[in-house]
Amino acid sequence: MSDPRLPRAALLGRDNLRMFGKLAVIVTLMFGFAYALVPMYNAICSALGINNLARSELLTSGHTGQKINTQVDASRTITVEFDANARGPWEFKPAVRSLDVHPGELATVMYEFRNVQDRTMAAQAIPSYAPKQAMAHFNKIECFCFNEYTLKPGESKQWPVVFVVDGKLPKDVRTITLSYTFFEVGGKVPAAPAGKVAAVVAPEGSKS
């Protein structure tokens, strides 16, 4: 209760001080609770496997956003062979000729490029698969074939192909050949000087 002997201003100041103290305690408790939510959330997600599921979806979702079967089938081994063909004055090759992977396993191979012409060139790669039925089960998560690239005279580049072989691949398929053809894109750069290698025409139907 208020002390009737204190002036009204003093009573009001004391009440305000008490209210401020209560608000300060509430704010401190709310801040502490919010701070504690982060480790609590991580602990709950870890116990329920939510974080693992989210990370799996992020790593194994292709550029189209389609989810890929992430269950690794260690009982099967697929040999993926890498082939490179250049239509024009390029040095184009995979860093390795083949990889042994399990269905559902995330794998990466690097491809190396070099423009051996004395002019800037724009180019793009198109993929093909053997056997043909493997195409539906070969999921590329990252691939240089989705873009056109410009390389200066003598410039070298390395680009990755990140992929997963779907576990639904037919059991009789034990080897997949991934082949790329790297070709010059016409009209993107100045024409070759007289006496130089003629411009390469992109294969029909290769432009999207």
Side-chain angles (χ1 to χ4, degrees):
M1 294 180 62
S2 299
D3 190 341
R5 294 174 295 178
L6 293 176
R8 181 178 180 83
L11 292 174
L12 183 60
R14 188 177 64 179
D15 291 341
N16 288 341
L17 185 61
R18 287 178 178 174
M19 180 61 69
F20 178 79
K22 292 179 180 179
L23 291 175
V25 172
I26 293 174
V27 170
T28 302
L29 291 175
M30 291 178 63
F31 179 80
F33 179 72
Y35 185 81
L37 277 179
V38 176
M40 289 172 58
Y41 173 81
N42 290 336
I44 293 172
C45 289
S46 178
L48 297 178
I50 296 175
N51 279 344
N52 294 336
L53 177 60
R55 187 178 299 110
S56 175
E57 290 178 350
L58 178 62
L59 290 176
T60 57
S61 294
H63 71 287
T64 60
Q66 295 179 343
K67 290 178 62 178
I68 299 168
N69 181 11
T70 61
Q71 185 176 2
V72 177
D73 183 1
S75 67
R76 296 179 62 190
T77 299
I78 309 298
T79 299
V80 181
E81 299 176 338
F82 305 102
D83 183 37
N85 304 287
R87 297 284 184 88
W90 307 96
E91 289 181 359
F92 175 44
K93 61 182 180 179
V96 296
R97 289 298 176 183
S98 66
L99 282 177
D100 289 336
V101 300
H102 300 302
E105 178 183 6
L106 195 68
T108 302
V109 62
M110 301 298 296
Y111 272 78
E112 302 172 357
F113 306 78
R114 191 167 82 90
N115 178 11
V116 298
Q117 278 286 85
D118 59 358
R119 64 187 178 94
T120 299
M121 300 181 71
Q124 186 173 5
I126 54 174
S128 60
Y129 306 84
K132 289 184 178 181
Q133 64 265 35
M135 179 177 179
H137 306 286
F138 196 96
N139 300 295
K140 294 192 296 297
I141 297 170
E142 182 178 352
C143 180
F144 55 83
C145 59
F146 300 143
N147 302 296
E148 294 179 7
Y149 297 93
T150 300
L151 280 79
K152 297 178 181 179
E155 184 177 11
S156 297
K157 293 286 187 180
Q158 283 192 334
W159 291 307
V161 178
V162 183
F163 65 91
V164 175
V165 177
D166 197 321
K168 295 180 181 179
L169 180 73
K171 298 291 186 181
D172 60 338
V173 178
R174 296 182 176 85
T175 301
I176 298 174
T177 300
L178 173 62
S179 180
Y180 284 101
T181 300
F182 200 60
F183 62 92
E184 183 177 1
V185 178
K188 299 292 183 181
V189 294
K196 299 293 182 180
V197 178
V200 178
V201 178
E204 184 178 355
S206 61
K207 289 183 70 64
S208 55

